[in-house]
Amino acid sequence: MSTQPDLLYSEEEEALRAAVRDLLADHCDAPGVIARIESDAPHNLALWKALTDGMGLAGLLVPEELDGQGATHREAAVVLEELGRAVAPVPYLTSAVVATEALLACGTDDLLTELASGTSIGALAVALNIAPGAAYKVVPYDNGLLHGELAGIADAAVADVLLVPADDGGLYAVDATAATITPQVSLDLTRPLATVTLDGVPGRLLGDAEPAVRRALRAGAGLLASEQLGLADWTLTETVRYLKDRKQFNRPVGGFQALKHRLAQLWLEVAGLRAAARNAADALSTGRDADVAVTVAQACAAPVAVHAAEEALQLHGGIGMTWEHPVHLYLKRAKADSIAYGTAGAHREALAGLVDLQAP
């Protein structure tokens, strides 16, 4: 097997991209997303059903013997690129990647089959801002019951099962209806956060929490970079398109040299992010230097995605400042993603340790 990363997209991956993009074009337009975040039910469960029942995408990382697709992180990364381009309000990253990876670390379980089919939505009860190597909060386990409160849990509002780490070192499956889930004020309304309160709730032991949580957070951080890539690519593409159409002094705004330079710089940043994100997805699928690849991708992804969204907002001028234009969705998602699964600074610090490059 080659030790060199494959950063190119295969024909199958491009076909998957086209299918997902077509589905999102039909089910996830910008006015619909904005309308949803103004309601009490921001998640698009009809789209989730189409992604899971219709295309089987929730089971990409699950082996075929457990009713999954038996695919790799490369295919999941392509899906997340397209979901990032649409700022789709579905729990794909949290359920089909993070919760699924935690269950895979615990071994064969019927929950994996449920998550792969999309009949159940899972959420790892670890705060969204926790980096793969950082400490995470656990809840007390006493006489078979779980007690305590966990804040910052992404997509908990639509989860059917919560994967809860406890102070005895175990990871427990908890029926979400047995917990009290309280929405938190979230910057990114397309991926809402919630506080989970467990007041003497029974849980089923799945396995050891530590390896499961570490594996889940690493995969979440690595594939989040692909979502950030999709977001950055959409904002760049739309900004270029807008500046070609918008005229000032009887000429296209995009023809002004200063703006050309800004867009060229942004294109280079997005191209670099694509290489880092593809490398992380490839490394996760092969196990080749995955820790290093993930930290490199996340050290790169947040600054690029935020910069792309900020430039889009500014270069769209007055229309970009309106609620009706979707660019604010991308800026909020970019800012929220910049602290999800660890900040860029935290990943740079982790990378220094991984490659033995200590500060002077």
Side-chain angles (χ1 to χ4, degrees):
M1 184 180 70
S2 172
T3 59
Q4 296 298 316
D6 181 4
L7 305 186
L8 301 177
Y9 298 97
S10 67
E11 290 185 10
E12 292 79 7
E13 288 163 359
E14 291 291 8
L16 174 61
R17 178 196 305 285
V20 175
R21 188 173 295 191
D22 286 346
L23 179 67
L24 292 170
D26 293 337
H27 291 80
C28 193
D29 63 334
V33 175
I34 292 172
R36 284 190 176 280
I37 65 174
E38 293 175 331
S39 72
D40 294 330
H43 290 93
N44 189 340
L45 295 182
L47 173 60
W48 176 249
K49 184 176 177 63
L51 289 166
T52 56
D53 284 0
M55 301 183 71
L57 298 183
L60 285 180
L61 300 180
V62 178
E64 293 182 16
E65 57 267 24
L66 295 173
D67 297 332
Q69 302 298 320
T72 71
H73 299 82
R74 292 174 58 92
E75 289 79 16
V78 169
V79 174
L80 279 163
E81 280 185 42
E82 293 306 310
L83 295 178
R85 287 180 62 89
V87 206
V90 291
Y92 191 85
L93 181 66
T94 47
S95 181
V97 175
V98 176
T100 296
E101 286 278 349
L103 291 174
L104 285 169
C106 292
T108 303
D109 193 279
D110 58 337
L111 273 179
L112 270 173
T113 300
E114 293 178 20
L115 262 61
S117 64
T119 54
S120 289
I121 296 173
L124 180 66
V126 172
L128 183 62
N129 66 308
I130 300 298
Y136 54 89
K137 186 176 180 181
V138 297
V139 299
Y141 178 77
D142 184 35
N143 292 327
L145 299 176
L146 296 161
H147 306 261
E149 183 177 282
L150 297 162
I153 311 302
D155 294 330
V158 289
D160 299 297
V161 60
L162 300 168
L163 309 182
V164 182
D167 62 358
D168 67 341
L171 185 69
Y172 290 85
V174 172
D175 185 343
T177 59
T180 301
I181 297 175
T182 308
Q184 294 179 239
V185 176
S186 306
L187 174 64
D188 177 13
L189 299 176
T190 63
R191 182 176 284 145
L193 306 179
T195 298
V196 174
T197 304
L198 305 171
D199 188 13
V201 174
R204 177 164 65 89
L205 181 63
L206 299 171
D208 293 337
E210 181 70 16
V213 170
R214 296 302 175 208
R215 174 172 172 171
L217 295 183
R218 184 179 72 170
L223 295 188
L224 176 66
S226 290
E227 177 186 290
Q228 291 164 299
L229 168 61
L231 184 157
D233 189 61
W234 183 92
T235 51
L236 173 59
T237 301
E238 283 300 301
T239 303
V240 170
R241 183 192 62 77
Y242 176 78
L243 293 181
K244 284 181 178 179
D245 293 340
R246 178 82 166 90
K247 288 186 170 58
Q248 196 172 57
F249 307 115
N250 205 32
R251 61 179 289 190
V253 175
F256 292 101
Q257 191 174 35
L259 299 190
K260 285 183 178 180
H261 287 175
R262 286 169 68 172
L263 293 171
Q265 177 61 38
L266 197 56
W267 185 89
L268 288 172
E269 292 177 16
V270 173
L273 171 54
R274 178 172 286 106
R278 292 301 295 163
N279 183 49
D282 187 71
L284 284 168
S285 66
T286 62
R288 170 196 51 79
D289 293 331
D291 289 336
V292 171
V294 167
T295 53
V296 168
Q298 272 305 309
C300 169
V304 174
V306 171
H307 184 212
E310 288 176 342
E311 288 284 71
L313 183 70
Q314 188 174 63
L315 294 176
H316 271 81
I319 189 67
M321 301 292 176
T322 65
W323 185 257
E324 290 75 15
H325 196 281
V327 70
H328 66 90
L329 298 174
Y330 291 84
L331 179 57
K332 291 170 187 172
R333 173 67 72 88
K335 293 293 283 186
D337 281 356
S338 72
I339 60 172
Y341 305 116
T343 63
H347 283 281
R348 284 193 293 270
E349 186 174 349
L351 179 61
L354 289 170
V355 299
D356 195 25
L357 183 63
Q358 303 304 320

